[in-house]
Amino acid sequence: MTICLTGLTGACTPDPGERLDPLFKDVARNPPLTKQETNEYLVRNDRPLAVWIEEMAEACDEYGCV
C-alpha cells in the first residue's frame, strides 16, 4: 500500500524546472483599437495611459496576447 501512495503522490509534484507562472500571452489582451482623435487626446491629457497602451501593444506583438 505504501508503494502505491508514494507512486501516486510523486506523479503530482511538478518538475522543479517546470514553469508554473502564467505566460504573458496567457493573461494579456491586445489594447483596443482607437481613433486617431482618441490617441491624440490621450497623449495630450493622459500621457501615462497613452504610453502604457503603446507598451502593451508592442509587448503583444512580441509575445502574443489573448
Side-chain angles (χ1 to χ4, degrees):
M1 187 65 139
T2 304
I3 294 172
C4 292
L5 292 176
T6 304
L8 291 175
T9 57
C12 296
T13 57
D15 178 16
E18 183 179 355
R19 183 185 178 110
L20 298 176
D21 298 331
L23 299 175
F24 180 84
K25 66 180 180 179
D26 296 333
V27 296
R29 295 181 183 266
N30 280 317
L33 299 176
T34 56
K35 296 180 184 176
Q36 184 63 32
E37 297 85 22
T38 305
N39 292 338
E40 291 170 3
Y41 175 84
L42 287 173
V43 168
R44 282 193 312 271
N45 298 294
D46 195 352
R47 181 94 178 164
L49 179 59
V51 169
W52 178 81
I53 290 172
E54 180 60 27
E55 289 174 353
M56 285 298 294
E58 290 175 3
C60 283
D61 290 342
E62 184 173 346
Y63 302 113
C65 287
V66 177

